[in-house]
């Protein structure tokens, strides 16, 4: 076990001890002075700071950006982009120095004309078609063409995942490689894109997930070995959506899984990063660019895949485009 790995394991053990001592102090009279409860917390904080310094030092001699294909097709918008700041997510840990988040933002549907409005009225031939459309919205995948729900300060507190066009979108191999990690057993939770839900996420849920380890943070995830010490990680996959298994060789553009909302996530989106090790506890981030796109900045929309060549992205039935 490397020093960095040992530090991260000890970091989580100290937090577990702290929480156990706090609970013990609440339910009974502990056989130790109260101040001793805070010792493991102080050690955990010190270890966390030390791990952060090590990660910063490791990224000081960063490699040149690696060019890979985009992991999606269709129209997306970048958030938490390393084009705006590094580290993009505020920390170097878990190989996230150059990570990026992207959300689905389909083009707004055009306003219906008089003829379209007439056809959409009850009794005007809309029966079966309208039912199918409603079923798509209520099904397990995001609805193609639907707008992404906006952040709300108070209400609704949470939303179901199928309301977001990203949910169920295909995730594609960014290069030829080998699957070295693949998991899809964690549930897809409700959105956290409201004021109350975001406060809960930042003050409680994120802290608990950090103590539980990187798997609880990134949720269902997949790691590809691209060769030359470069690994690609896709986080927050949809539960049960994996199309590949560990040890399988994949080709660029091959479908790997679907976008979901597992782990430390506010809404269905894709978290993508390159790193130098498949173990998130010791991984150091690697900068990247996407072929034909570059590195989109925060709030910048881009079109990937077939749509980038002027052709519509094909709907694969149960698996909806983002």
């Amino acid at each position: 076990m490397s020093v960095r790995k040992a530090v991260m394991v000890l970091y989580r053990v100290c937090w577990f001890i702290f929480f156990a001592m706090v609970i013990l102090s609440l339910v009974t009279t502990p056989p130790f002075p109260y101040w001793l409860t805070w010792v493991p917390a102080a050690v955990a904080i010190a270890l966390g700071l030390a791990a952060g310094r090590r990660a910063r030092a490791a990224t000081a001699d960063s490699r040149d950006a690696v060019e890979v294909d985009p992991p999606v097709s269709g129209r997306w918008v970048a958030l938490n982009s390393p084009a705006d700041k590094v580290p993009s997510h505020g920390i170097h840990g878990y190989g996230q120095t150059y990570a990026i988040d992207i959300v689905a933002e389909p083009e707004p549907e055009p306003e219906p004309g008089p003829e379209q409005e007439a056809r959409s009225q009850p009794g005007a031939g809309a029966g079966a078609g309208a039912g199918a459309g409603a079923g798509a919205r209520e099904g397990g995948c995001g609805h193609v063409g639907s707008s992404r729900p906006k952040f709300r300060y108070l209400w609704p507190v949470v939303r179901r995942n199928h309301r977001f066009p990203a949910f169920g979108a295909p995730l594609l191999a960014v290069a030829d490689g080998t699957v070295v990690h693949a998991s899809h057993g964690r549930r897809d939770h409700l959105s956290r894109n409201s004021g109350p839900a975001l406060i809960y996420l930042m003050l409680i849920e994120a802290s608990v997930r950090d103590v539980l380890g990187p798997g609880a943070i990134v949720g269902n995830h997949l790691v590809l070995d691209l060769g030359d010490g470069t690994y690609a990680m896709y986080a927050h996959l949809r539960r049960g959506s994996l199309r590949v298994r560990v040890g399988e060789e994949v080709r660029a553009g091959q479908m790997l899984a679907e976008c979901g909302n597992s782990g430390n996530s506010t809404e269905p989106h894709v978290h993508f990063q390159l790193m130098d090790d498949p173990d998130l506890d010791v991984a150091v981030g690697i900068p990247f660019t996407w072929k034909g796109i570059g590195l989109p900045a925060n709030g910048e929309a881009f079109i990937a895949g077939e749509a980038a060549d002027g052709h519509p992205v094909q709907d694969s039935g149960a698996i909806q485009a983002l």
Side-chain angles (χ1 to χ4, degrees):
M1 180 184 296
S2 68
V3 173
R4 287 164 60 188
K5 180 69 174 181
V7 167
M8 294 306 298
V9 171
L10 185 57
Y11 164 81
R12 288 190 285 271
V13 169
C14 286
W15 279 123
F16 274 118
I17 294 174
F18 167 72
F19 288 129
M21 294 175 73
V22 169
I23 294 173
L24 184 62
S25 299
L26 293 175
V27 299
T28 186
T29 302
F32 50 81
Y34 180 74
W35 64 266
L36 198 60
T37 303
W38 298 95
V39 172
V43 174
I45 293 172
L47 291 172
L49 293 174
R53 285 195 296 269
R54 282 179 173 271
R56 283 195 301 274
T59 57
D61 299 323
S62 180
R63 295 163 48 177
D64 293 334
V66 177
E67 186 180 59
V68 294
D69 292 337
V72 294
S73 63
R75 187 175 187 272
W76 301 73
V77 171
L79 300 174
N80 299 319
S81 171
D84 293 273
K85 70 170 185 176
V86 175
S88 58
H89 285 58
I91 63 171
H92 293 278
Y94 306 127
Q96 295 185 92
T97 301
Y98 304 99
I100 191 170
D101 292 331
I102 53 176
V103 294
E105 284 282 13
E107 291 285 2
E109 294 181 350
E111 292 293 329
E115 294 183 1
Q116 291 174 307
E117 289 181 348
R119 285 197 296 268
S120 66
Q121 296 301 319
R137 283 180 170 83
E138 296 301 324
C141 298
H143 179 62
V144 176
S146 64
S147 61
R148 170 175 163 244
K150 302 301 182 183
F151 178 86
R152 300 295 184 186
Y153 286 102
L154 291 176
W155 190 265
V157 176
V158 297
R159 293 182 176 90
R160 296 187 181 278
N161 290 313
H162 68 261
R163 296 296 181 188
F164 296 83
F167 191 63
L171 302 182
L172 313 175
V174 296
D176 297 347
T178 304
V179 180
V180 294
H181 177 87
S183 63
H184 63 168
R186 298 177 184 270
R187 69 181 183 88
D188 295 284
H189 56 72
L190 298 174
S191 74
R192 307 284 191 258
N193 67 333
S194 71
L198 186 60
I199 291 173
Y200 161 75
L201 174 67
M202 296 180 67
L203 296 183
I204 301 176
E205 184 176 357
S207 299
V208 173
R209 290 185 183 279
D210 185 47
V211 173
L212 294 177
I217 295 173
V218 300
N220 302 321
H221 62 290
L222 182 144
V223 179
L224 294 182
D225 182 355
L226 307 183
D228 296 325
T230 302
Y231 298 83
M233 196 271 284
Y234 306 68
H236 313 307
L237 309 184
R238 184 182 181 185
R239 185 177 189 177
S241 70
L242 279 173
R243 300 297 182 87
V244 294
R245 61 183 183 275
V246 173
E248 182 175 343
E249 294 185 358
V250 300
R251 307 291 293 179
Q254 178 179 335
M255 181 176 172
L256 305 174
E258 299 173 25
C259 175
N261 195 34
S262 58
N264 202 57
S265 171
T266 56
E267 66 178 85
H269 74 283
V270 178
H271 173 107
F272 176 82
Q273 65 189 50
L274 292 187
M275 51 195 185
D276 68 351
D277 195 287
D279 187 341
L280 293 173
D281 272 335
V282 302
V284 173
I286 296 175
F288 67 90
T289 60
W290 287 328
K291 294 178 183 177
I293 296 173
L295 185 60
N298 285 342
E300 181 180 344
F302 63 93
I303 298 177
E306 294 179 350
D309 299 325
H311 302 293
V313 177
Q314 298 297 315
D315 179 3
S316 57
I319 302 168
Q320 304 287 341
L322 194 65

